[in-house]
Amino acid sequence: MSGRSRRKISRRELLQGSLVAGGTLLLGFESLAFARCLPSRVDPSFQGGKPLGIVPFSEESRAEMETPLGAELDGRLYTDLSKLTPQSAITPSESFYLRTRASELLEAQHLRQVRIGGLLAKEFTLGIEEIRKSAKPIGVHLMECAGNARSVHFGLMSAAEWSGVPLMDVLESAKAKSQGSRVLVSGFDTYQAKSATSVAGASWIFSMEELKAAGAFLATEMNGAPLTRDHGAPLRLFVPGWYGCVCIKWVNEISFVDERAEATSQMLEYAARTMQQGAPQLAKDYKPALVEASAMPVRVEKWTISEKIQYRVTGILWGGSRPVQELQIRFNPEEDYVAVDDLQPGGNNTWRFWTHAWTPAKPDTYHIRLRVPGAGMATRRLDAGYYMRSVEIQEV
Ligand SMILES: Nc1nc2c(c(=O)[nH]1)N[C@H]1C(S)=C(S)[C@@H](COP(=O)(O)O)O[C@H]1N2
Ligand SMILES: [Mo]
């Protein structure tokens, strides 16, 4: 270990958020306590060690995190996943990612009720107040944008605690005509500005079976407070386990349609990202936009333990149709996958944490990938290297 890196790092430097040590740019811990709050059952040595900082991921742009950017269809906010710990596993509403911000043209009177129509004996409207009164706590669910990307540090993903009403309750009381086998959910999507990158008009068509199996709900609250304007107030759809593109915000219409219904512009736009075969013209030919089991590192921590440099990788595991039992990590193509040291137990409604102690053989650039071993579970994005993250290790 070089003398330079043994140099004492002041608390002030750590708090300032970035420093250079041993030639590596280290993003500082917000506090020392932060680094200690992950369980280390396998390697308790970290409890006695000293955290030096976080090695930033390389080959990722410097996106501005947790700040609302832009407006309307081009509005974004990226959640900073590098701060995640099991103690802060629910994203505060002001840090929850945004993909599309509320229209400048949206006013409260546009969304006082939801129209229930289409292939129905009789159309009717449901008042928002009525829906609000029957809302109940639903639990914690993660949402990921199908367009999540390394360039924004995968910040289009967050988890919150939701309240609302099961969509099936609303649909069953509506009694569709027999040919109304599918359901179109739409929101208020009239914007002042034309988007550079997105097609306006979010709506999605589901089969009744899909909505039932997923436990879809109309959300009224997020983290114990009414939805914010940008997150779809007063009412948004949430389909647990599916990509965010189906979770329609500012819901204003639910319509029964039949097997001949055409795919919406949103379905066509997201066809590739939700791993459809081509871009089917009919809604019935779309497969559920499920988030398959996925995992990635969120932070690589640098420590000194008994005078030695040691790294610890902390990451998340999410998605999948059932909970993953085992997770493996690999630091470069020429190395083998090995089981991660510690995988937090849990279900698949939200992210689970894992940690892995790491002693790189030599200073180098490492490309970290994860794998869910065993057959029987599709992990296409994970296996394609979509969530790979790289670090440049300068000191071992
Ligand atoms: N009405 C409407 N709903 C929408 C969208 C939209 O553009 N308009 N974007 C969708 C997409 S692509 C995602 S990923 C989620 C994001 O929800 P959030 O901004 O609350 O995180 O909302 C979905 N619901
Ligand atoms: Mo999205």
Side-chain angles (χ1 to χ4, degrees):
M1 185 171 91
S2 76
R4 193 149 55 108
S5 70
R6 225 180 289 136
R7 162 183 92 93
K8 264 243 164 83
I9 292 153
S10 74
R11 187 171 154 73
R12 194 160 148 256
E13 276 176 300
L14 282 167
L15 291 171
Q16 267 170 354
S18 98
L19 58 121
V20 175
T24 309
L25 172 72
L26 295 172
L27 304 173
F29 291 109
E30 298 211 323
S31 76
L32 293 171
F34 162 81
R36 294 181 200 279
C37 55
L38 278 163
S40 238
R41 284 198 292 270
V42 176
D43 193 347
S45 59
F46 284 98
Q47 298 303 324
K50 181 167 167 267
L52 296 178
I54 295 170
V55 188
F57 293 112
S58 45
E59 295 158 40
E60 296 186 13
S61 70
R62 285 188 171 246
E64 199 179 338
M65 308 304 280
E66 306 210 336
T67 310
L69 308 164
E72 298 195 309
L73 275 171
D74 293 325
R76 298 284 187 277
L77 182 142
Y78 307 115
T79 301
D80 185 356
L81 302 179
S82 74
K83 298 192 301 196
L84 276 179
T85 68
Q87 288 75 25
S88 64
I90 291 174
T91 316
S93 299
E94 66 275 12
S95 306
F96 196 102
Y97 88 85
L98 283 170
R99 192 316 187 166
T100 309
R101 299 182 67 193
S103 166
E104 303 286 348
L105 307 175
L106 174 62
E107 287 172 41
Q109 76 255 23
H110 290 131
L111 299 175
R112 293 229 166 91
Q113 56 207 15
V114 179
R115 210 163 66 93
I116 318 284
L119 301 170
L120 200 66
K122 195 168 183 297
E123 290 198 358
F124 63 102
T125 59
L126 265 180
I128 292 295
E129 281 316 312
E130 212 177 313
I131 297 173
R132 249 193 209 130
K133 272 185 211 134
S134 47
K136 295 202 172 54
I138 307 259
V140 177
H141 287 285
L142 166 139
M143 187 163 70
E144 182 186 13
C145 178
N148 203 8
R150 183 175 302 125
S151 60
V152 296
H153 309 299
F154 297 105
L156 289 171
M157 174 160 58
S158 313
E161 216 173 314
W162 303 90
S163 295
V165 296
L167 184 56
M168 288 315 286
D169 290 1
V170 174
L171 299 181
E172 274 160 10
S173 70
K175 291 194 203 77
K177 280 188 188 167
S178 56
Q179 71 269 42
S181 54
R182 286 170 192 272
V183 179
L184 166 70
V185 181
S186 321
F188 183 93
D189 274 291
T190 312
Y191 298 91
Q192 200 160 59
K194 212 173 144 60
S195 162
T197 52
S198 306
V199 184
S203 55
W204 204 277
I205 297 171
F206 308 86
S207 73
M208 295 281 261
E209 295 73 41
E210 287 168 346
L211 293 169
K212 195 169 183 171
F217 59 94
L218 290 167
T220 53
E221 289 189 6
M222 177 180 181
N223 294 334
L227 291 179
T228 62
R229 187 176 156 85
D230 283 338
H231 286 299
L235 196 67
R236 83 172 303 161
L237 178 65
F238 199 103
V239 187
W242 292 44
Y243 281 114
C245 50
V246 310
C247 298
I248 306 306
K249 303 195 273 193
W250 314 290
V251 169
N252 58 8
E253 184 169 355
I254 297 172
S255 189
F256 288 90
V257 297
D258 64 19
E259 298 297 291
R260 291 165 305 176
E262 287 188 13
T264 65
S265 61
Q266 173 97 342
M267 294 170 86
L268 292 166
E269 182 184 355
Y270 277 92
R273 281 175 272 178
T274 59
M275 289 172 289
Q276 307 297 329
Q277 269 165 344
Q281 286 308 303
L282 295 182
K284 73 173 176 60
D285 295 325
Y286 279 70
K287 290 193 277 297
L290 289 164
V291 180
E292 294 177 351
S294 312
M296 70 176 164
V298 295
R299 151 173 101 242
V300 175
E301 305 162 0
K302 184 179 183 182
W303 292 68
T304 43
I305 296 160
S306 319
E307 298 284 295
K308 282 204 187 78
I309 295 286
Q310 168 102 64
Y311 294 86
R312 182 169 71 175
V313 187
T314 290
I316 51 174
L317 166 68
W318 73 100
S321 49
R322 55 192 151 76
V324 167
Q325 301 298 328
E326 197 191 343
L327 183 66
Q328 296 179 336
I329 190 166
R330 187 189 76 181
F331 291 90
N332 255 340
E334 56 275 12
E335 291 182 21
D336 290 332
Y337 276 97
V338 295
V340 297
D341 289 343
D342 191 52
L343 173 62
Q344 184 191 45
N348 56 352
N349 57 317
T350 189
W351 41 39
R352 288 155 68 186
F353 292 83
W354 54 266
T355 62
H356 192 74
W358 179 38
T359 318
K362 59 178 195 307
D364 204 350
T365 299
Y366 290 87
H367 304 290
I368 309 173
R369 283 180 66 162
L370 282 301
R371 177 171 87 175
V372 175
M377 209 185 225
T379 51
R380 287 173 288 176
R381 268 195 168 184
L382 184 65
D383 296 343
Y386 192 91
Y387 295 105
M388 183 190 83
R389 305 192 83 172
S390 305
V391 281
E392 200 186 314
I393 297 296
Q394 303 201 346
E395 192 184 27
V396 295

